[in-house]
Amino acid sequence: MNRVIDLRSDTVTRPSPGMRDAMHRAEVGDDLMREDPTVRALEEASAEAMGKEDGLFVPSGTMANVVALLTHCQRGDEALAGSESHILHHEGMGAVVLGGLFVRSVQNDALGRIDPVEVQARLRPAWPRTAVVCLENTQNRCGGAAIPASDMRAVADVAHAAGAQVHVDGARIFNAAISLETDVRTLVVSADTVGFCFSKGLGAPVGSVLTGSREFIERAWFNRRLLGGSMRQSGVLAAAALWALEHNVERLAEDHANARRLAAAVAEMPHVEMDPAGTDSNLVFFTLNGVDGNDFRARLRDEGVLCSGTAPERIRMACHLDVTAQDIDAAIDKIARVLEAMPAAS
Ligand SMILES: Cc1ncc(COP(=O)(O)O)c(C=O)c1O
């Protein structure tokens, strides 16, 4: 049986032997009683990495965003988020449903940025009050675009001037920092809160940390409880995340190199529309023209290559630590073979 090359997401990675060993050895306690030393170590290390005062371990990136919005906003408040953001498209509007708040959208451009002038026009001082502006980095649906610190700062400045806070959905913030060749703290310095995931490119099985001021995290602690996100001997999970922080950050550059090579090759293939220069990080997006997207995915799956996408013809391939450079070579050959054999869409 040929090896399956799973490019659907960077969430499909399995914990490595070193990570499993760290989980096995983890010192644990009841985290709801604030007695798990490994969770506490992870929260402190995460806060330090982001240059914030404190952190809160949560089960998922979605919960990091929902807790952040519930903590930033009162009922009746407004949040602003990019039109292509994960918060708007993929979180079931949890913060809206649970928090009695409203999320308004601001257009993301092709490079994933939002325009500070447009943000300024939407900010409202009262009734409804815009409590928080959300940025995403990397910007998943915009090709995994890495948003430079200067663009984040420009939006943060107008938000802060109007009395609003800034939250960064940094599910893949280390990918952004590595792509931009900048320190992650510098990248998020203008943000009040940052959530980031261990379960994506960093290769841990579960978990995200929300970081911010000590006062904010204390209030967030109650919202995590409200959502049922408080855990008990979660040091077993935190140990995996700590191991990832130590061993799997720098190697994200390998995923980016694989993604660039995949993008450059796919861009030359028939029926593909894409600008390979738009591949900033580990995600490769392209649009199929003149062939059926579902048929393409099925044929590629039969060849042992899995992909995902945001629409039938909009294909996404994610490079990650369980995909080697040789896997990418094999995937390129198979994608080319499938595309050459595809019948024209009727
Ligand atoms: C940008 C972004 N934010 C948040 C999330 C949510 O993370 P989780 O799947 O851990 O809830 C994802 C998941 O892919 C994401 O891509």
Side-chain angles (χ1 to χ4, degrees):
M1 166 87 179
N2 277 341
R3 175 175 158 84
V4 171
I5 303 169
D6 193 345
L7 302 175
R8 287 172 302 164
S9 175
D10 47 10
T11 58
V12 300
T13 55
R14 311 272 164 89
S16 61
M19 184 179 279
R20 284 174 188 264
D21 187 46
M23 296 171 80
H24 181 71
R25 288 185 285 102
E27 208 184 314
V28 297
D30 188 325
D31 186 50
L32 191 53
M33 298 183 193
R34 306 191 190 222
E35 285 175 1
D36 191 304
T38 310
V39 169
R40 198 56 211 136
L42 175 68
E43 291 172 337
E44 283 169 2
S46 300
E48 167 80 16
M50 297 297 136
K52 307 298 174 205
E53 284 178 0
D54 208 351
L56 186 73
F57 187 42
V58 290
S60 66
T62 299
M63 194 181 286
N65 284 334
V66 175
V67 168
L69 289 184
L70 293 181
T71 311
H72 279 298
C73 299
Q74 308 281 325
R75 289 179 75 78
D77 279 349
E78 227 170 51
L80 299 183
S83 57
E84 295 303 317
S85 63
H86 197 273
I87 287 177
L88 273 180
H89 286 271
H90 302 292
E91 299 183 7
M93 286 293 175
V96 175
V97 172
L98 298 163
L101 55 99
F102 189 67
V103 184
R104 278 177 98 194
S105 111
V106 184
Q107 190 64 41
N108 282 114
D109 69 14
L111 299 178
R113 300 168 305 188
I114 58 178
D115 181 357
V117 175
E118 203 189 322
V119 171
Q120 188 151 36
R122 281 186 162 50
L123 283 161
R124 299 200 262 211
W127 220 63
R129 168 186 81 123
T130 312
V132 63
V133 176
C134 303
L135 297 169
E136 185 176 308
N137 206 0
T138 58
Q139 176 67 52
N140 183 347
R141 293 170 60 94
C142 299
I147 314 296
S150 53
D151 289 307
M152 295 176 70
R153 156 76 65 194
V155 171
D157 283 350
V158 297
H160 288 146
Q165 301 269 287
V166 174
H167 170 67
V168 173
D169 173 356
R172 298 182 180 81
I173 197 70
F174 286 108
N175 293 87
I178 283 178
S179 168
L180 295 162
E181 297 182 358
T182 184
D183 170 53
V184 75
R185 284 163 153 249
T186 309
L187 188 56
V188 299
V189 71
S190 57
D192 300 285
T193 58
V194 184
F196 67 100
C197 296
F198 292 97
S199 56
K200 309 208 158 53
L202 298 186
V206 177
S208 292
V209 172
L210 174 62
T211 64
S213 71
R214 202 157 281 121
E215 180 274 332
F216 179 90
I217 294 300
E218 187 56 27
R219 289 190 289 121
W221 191 91
F222 290 98
N223 283 323
R224 181 185 66 175
R225 181 87 176 108
L226 177 92
L227 297 176
S230 303
M231 298 176 279
R232 303 294 181 166
Q233 286 73 32
S234 37
V236 172
L237 302 172
L242 270 172
W243 196 90
L245 207 50
E246 210 174 304
H247 296 87
N248 286 349
V249 173
E250 297 305 323
R251 65 148 307 285
L252 291 172
E254 293 169 34
D255 299 339
H256 296 186
N258 281 338
R260 280 196 301 274
R261 211 151 47 77
L262 177 62
V266 169
E268 299 298 316
M269 294 182 193
H271 307 296
V272 170
E273 281 177 12
M274 80 177 299
D275 174 3
T279 302
D280 281 353
S281 62
N282 66 323
L283 306 178
V284 177
F285 279 75
F286 57 93
T287 303
L288 291 173
N289 196 353
V291 291
D292 182 90
N294 289 325
D295 189 19
F296 167 76
R297 289 165 201 235
R299 286 169 182 245
L300 198 57
R301 190 178 57 233
D302 291 345
E303 292 281 336
V305 178
L306 309 182
C307 62
S308 64
T310 51
E313 270 69 44
R314 183 80 177 144
I315 307 295
R316 187 184 88 155
M317 296 182 170
C319 297
H320 53 77
L321 97 172
D322 287 354
V323 172
T324 64
Q326 292 73 21
D327 289 334
I328 295 298
D329 290 337
I332 289 170
D333 284 349
K334 289 175 181 197
I335 297 163
R337 209 173 326 137
V338 165
L339 280 173
E340 271 155 27
M342 292 278 301
S346 48

